């Protein structure tokens, strides 16, 4: 029988106070995993703990900026001592800065790359020794449409998410022999805080032009929801995907396959 259970597994989902990370962690808890998450602001950790409590999930939260390697190592050491060896890491924490490249200062560009690419390396490096010792592990990197496509104003984010796709393939290549599978999930356009500016109702009551654009570029003709990611995330964290490695599973309603709705 195919095993989708996460019973007895310890899952660290970074940045999982709300949005995509919270949905993935909720799905993991429902599949039997013990949930640990972290954010870089105490108020977000508190928001997450409240959300998990309301969901009846006994999650452990840490205040930890994923770009701070010493803090990440300390967090992983504490998790291993108090919860158990991390079986599943989801590199979900991420930021975006929408600025035309020629106007973007290098500090902003560097911060996006730090959070969206360097931090997944830092977190993976921190959990891999425990996974090797335990004889298995799952690392899931939250990629993006921008792992494949560009658009105006998101140069740093696209560079980082493109790099994250290749980091996913390289972790697969380097650690597959230790029964560690590293895959990506590439969400399409998902309705979360991060994309709220792209969906704002206009002063005249109409939908945001970008909102209408995405609807025309998505065969499903809708934005995704964090819940759309729950099943794919459980699949990639479970034994059901033990021979799936180095793959980015796009959960985009068909965007990458579609040229876009033809004008009437
Ligand atoms: P979100 O609503 O903006 O939430 C981001 C989370 O990451 C927050 O909990 C935030 O908490 C945390 N975070 C940010 N920087 C951090 C840091 N340095 N250290 C630790 N935690 C940090 O994002 P989302 O829309 O759920 O997206 C989650 C992931 O999916 C991101 O990697 C994003 O790039 C990716 N993604 C999103 C979409 C979409 O359409 N929404 C599509 C494709 C991919 P703090 O601010 O308190 O740290
Ligand atoms: C944007 C959006 C996208 C989504 C996501 C798409 O400004 O284009 O924020 O980047 O967040 O990454 O997969
Ligand atoms: Ca090796």
């Amino acid at each position: 029988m195919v095993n989708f259970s996460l019973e007895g597994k310890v899952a660290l989902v970074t940045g999982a106070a709300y949005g995509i990370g919270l949905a993935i962690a909720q799905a993991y808890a429902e599949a039997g995993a013990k949930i640990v998450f972290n954010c870089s602001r105490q108020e977000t950790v508190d928001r997450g703990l409240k959300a998990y409590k309301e969901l009846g999930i006994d999650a452990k939260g840490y205040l930890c900026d994923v770009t701070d390697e010493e803090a990440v190592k300390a967090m992983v050491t504490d998790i291993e001592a108090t919860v158990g060896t991390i079986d599943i890491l989801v590199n979900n924490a991420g930021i975006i800065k929408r600025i035309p490249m020629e106007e973007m200062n290098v500090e902003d560009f560097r911060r996006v790359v730090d959070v969206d690419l360097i931090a997944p390396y830092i977190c993976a490096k921190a959990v891999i020794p425990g996974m090797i010792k335990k004889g298995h592990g799952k690392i899931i990197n939250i990629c993006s449409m921008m792992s494949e496509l560009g658009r105006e104003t998101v140069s740093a984010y696209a560079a980082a998410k493109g790099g994250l796709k290749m980091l996913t393939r390289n972790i697969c290549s380097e650690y597959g022999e230790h029964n560690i599978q590293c895959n990506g999930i590439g969400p399409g356009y998902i309705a979360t805080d991060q994309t709220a500016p792209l969906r704002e109702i206009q002063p005249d009551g109409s939908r945001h032009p970008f909102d209408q654009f995405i609807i025309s570029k998505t065969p499903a003709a809708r934005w995704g929801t964090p819940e759309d990611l729950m099943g794919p995330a459980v699949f990639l964290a479970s034994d059901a995907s033990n021979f799936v490695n180095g793959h980015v599973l796009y959960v985009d309603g068909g965007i990458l396959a579609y040229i876009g709705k033809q004008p009437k």
Side-chain angles (χ1 to χ4, degrees):
M1 207 239 314
V2 179
N3 183 12
F4 290 101
S5 168
L6 303 182
E7 207 57 54
K9 298 284 174 68
V10 175
L12 169 60
V13 187
T14 66
Y18 46 83
I20 287 171
L22 175 64
I24 289 176
Q26 179 186 347
Y28 286 3
E30 289 167 0
K34 175 79 181 126
I35 303 303
V36 186
F37 76 102
N38 70 292
C39 295
S40 67
R41 292 174 296 159
Q42 189 57 53
E43 65 265 32
T44 321
V45 174
D46 296 342
R47 173 177 170 184
L49 289 170
K50 184 169 177 288
Y52 288 109
K53 193 167 178 352
E54 285 165 4
L55 289 166
I57 297 169
D58 176 22
K60 185 165 189 181
Y62 286 81
L63 177 63
C64 174
D65 181 335
V66 287
T67 64
D68 177 343
E69 184 168 31
E70 289 317 305
V72 168
K73 285 160 68 174
M75 171 177 67
V76 170
T77 300
D78 190 76
I79 293 168
E80 291 180 342
T82 60
V83 184
T85 302
I86 294 164
D87 301 286
I88 302 158
L89 167 67
V90 180
N91 281 310
N92 167 76
I95 61 170
I96 191 168
K97 293 180 187 292
R98 300 183 182 94
I99 306 166
M101 194 179 83
E102 79 277 10
E103 297 170 22
M104 193 171 201
N105 63 48
V106 70
E107 292 75 23
D108 279 337
F109 194 102
R110 195 165 279 132
R111 182 64 185 166
V112 172
V113 173
D114 265 348
V115 178
D116 295 0
L117 177 57
I118 308 291
Y121 145 77
I122 288 172
C123 294
K125 183 178 156 193
V127 303
I128 279 171
M131 291 179 171
I132 290 175
K133 215 178 292 169
K134 206 167 180 183
H136 67 249
K138 296 283 188 180
I139 297 173
I140 296 157
N141 294 321
I142 307 299
C143 297
S144 161
M145 294 290 94
M146 275 64 220
S147 297
E148 302 292 344
L149 303 169
R151 83 171 184 86
E152 299 79 5
T153 76
V154 295
S155 58
Y157 184 84
K161 292 295 189 179
L164 187 55
K165 175 174 72 172
M166 283 314 303
L167 178 63
T168 300
R169 291 181 178 167
N170 218 75
I171 294 171
C172 150
S173 306
E174 197 164 5
Y175 297 97
E177 67 182 323
H178 299 289
N179 191 28
I180 293 170
Q181 291 84 46
C182 182
N183 291 288
I185 288 178
Y189 279 82
I190 312 296
T192 69
D193 291 9
Q194 190 246 52
T195 54
L198 305 174
R199 289 178 283 107
E200 270 168 7
I201 298 299
Q202 302 302 285
D204 65 2
S206 63
R207 296 177 75 153
H208 192 295
F210 194 90
D211 179 354
Q212 298 177 51
F213 170 68
I214 289 304
I215 297 297
S216 75
K217 293 287 281 181
T218 311
R222 68 171 175 87
W223 283 70
T225 65
E227 290 68 31
D228 287 319
L229 297 158
M230 293 169 98
V234 169
F235 165 64
L236 287 177
S238 72
D239 288 342
S241 62
N242 283 352
F243 206 56
V244 177
N245 210 357
H247 182 78
V248 178
L249 177 55
Y250 286 99
V251 185
D252 64 354
I255 292 176
L256 287 180
Y258 186 39
I259 196 168
K261 184 161 289 307
Q262 302 161 50
K264 284 211 178 11

